[in-house]
Amino acid sequence: MKDKKQFGETLKKLREIGYTCLDHGIPQGMTAGEFKELLSANDFEPLKVDTDVYTLLENPKKFICDAHELGVDLVMVYSIPKTLRGGEEGYHQFAEILNRAGEMLRKEGLRFGYHAHSFEFCSFGGYNGVDILLNETDHLELVPDTHWIAAAGLNPPDFIRRLNGRCHMVHFKDYGIDAGTDILENVPRIYAEVGQGNLNWPEIVRACKEVGVRTFCVEQDICKIDPFTSLTTSFHAMKRLGL
């Protein structure tokens, strides 16, 4: 989306599909107040403020103020820095950094979340990077993605059930396989719309409800069809699932 006008047009189309909340950071060039005004004009609610953890620690006041102005209670970071991804020690260091940030936000009445992909599930012999982040943080909530859980070789419902009390938002994306591969050893996975891949959605929804998930977000990284057709497909699939 190139500008505020295009952003507003996109929100209007999403609202026509039936979406009511947006999991999106404050767009570049907008203030929190301007973003909230744009969302309100299109009958949308914001869900969180996002940043990287180092920027958060350098200027916590900005993100705390942004969250309060938007009326959200979640600040989320999306990725462990590349410099810390290379081995187990990096995850221990990152957990310590997350603890500092989480404690700071907790004192301001805010929740702290981390959006996991698949690489955080790298194994260190009996446990993985996500295990370290969960075991060594006190106030961190995990925001998992169903596709990335499956890509890491785990069963999404089983993993989500491990997060009881520490997961209130889940990103929904199906895990499909492209039929057009020529190399047998490849895993030609695709980002599929909800219900269009191989994941067990009724069981995923049951697991989410068991652990207290409140927000179910469609995330479609790459669309093989028109983006709004893609989002419509996922929206109706979620409605059929009772969401």
Side-chain angles (χ1 to χ4, degrees):
M1 291 171 281
K2 297 179 180 179
D3 52 36
K4 189 174 180 179
K5 181 176 182 292
Q6 189 180 53
F7 203 121
E9 292 170 349
T10 299
L11 289 174
K12 182 179 179 181
K13 291 179 181 179
L14 293 175
R15 192 67 187 87
E16 289 171 352
I17 294 171
Y19 291 100
T20 59
C21 297
L22 188 69
D23 181 12
H24 194 292
I26 299 170
Q28 188 173 3
M30 281 191 210
T31 65
E34 290 170 339
F35 186 41
K36 184 176 182 178
E37 183 180 346
L38 181 61
L39 292 174
S40 296
N42 290 278
D43 200 23
F44 265 87
E45 293 288 337
L47 291 173
K48 54 101 170 86
V49 168
D50 61 25
T51 181
D52 68 88
V53 72
Y54 291 134
T55 303
L56 174 61
L57 289 172
E58 288 170 5
N59 190 6
K61 185 176 180 180
K62 172 189 175 351
F63 298 99
I64 291 166
C65 289
D66 283 349
H68 289 317
E69 187 166 3
L70 277 177
V72 300
D73 67 352
L74 176 65
V75 176
M76 186 158 70
V77 296
Y78 273 97
S79 180
I80 177 174
K82 289 183 180 179
T83 55
L84 299 179
R85 294 180 197 172
E88 179 180 347
E89 182 56 31
Y91 282 87
H92 292 296
Q93 293 178 30
F94 189 51
E96 183 180 349
I97 295 168
L98 292 174
N99 265 331
R100 296 206 310 269
E103 178 61 19
M104 183 172 54
L105 294 172
R106 185 189 66 80
K107 290 178 179 178
E108 299 292 335
L110 298 172
R111 296 155 45 222
F112 188 38
Y114 180 80
H115 177 38
H117 296 79
S118 60
F119 61 82
E120 297 96 337
F121 291 95
C122 52
S123 178
F124 300 118
Y127 54 91
N128 58 49
V130 171
D131 293 329
I132 293 172
L133 298 184
L134 289 172
N135 292 337
E136 298 184 10
T137 56
D138 299 318
H139 307 294
L140 185 71
E141 296 183 14
L142 203 69
V143 181
D145 179 305
T146 53
H147 177 99
W148 291 122
I149 298 170
L154 283 73
N155 180 41
D158 290 345
F159 178 74
I160 290 168
R161 286 188 172 99
R162 289 180 49 199
L163 303 177
N164 192 20
R166 299 187 69 172
C167 178
H168 298 100
M169 179 192 297
V170 175
H171 286 185
F172 274 21
K173 176 165 69 239
D174 217 329
Y175 186 101
I177 296 294
D178 192 340
T181 186
D182 294 324
I183 302 174
L184 296 179
E185 290 79 11
N186 280 355
V187 180
R189 61 177 179 81
I190 56 175
Y191 305 109
E193 291 75 23
V194 176
Q196 301 301 303
N198 296 318
L199 299 186
N200 183 346
W201 288 104
E203 190 62 20
I204 288 171
V205 171
R206 276 193 290 272
C208 287
K209 291 182 176 180
E210 287 172 16
V211 302
V213 173
R214 300 189 296 263
T215 307
F216 306 84
C217 298
V218 170
E219 182 179 9
Q220 193 68 38
D221 302 55
I222 298 172
C223 299
K224 301 193 77 170
I225 57 177
D226 172 76
F228 295 105
T229 300
S230 169
L231 291 167
T232 299
T233 298
S234 289
F235 180 82
H236 289 306
M238 291 175 72
K239 283 297 182 183
R240 290 192 295 273
L241 289 164
L243 302 175

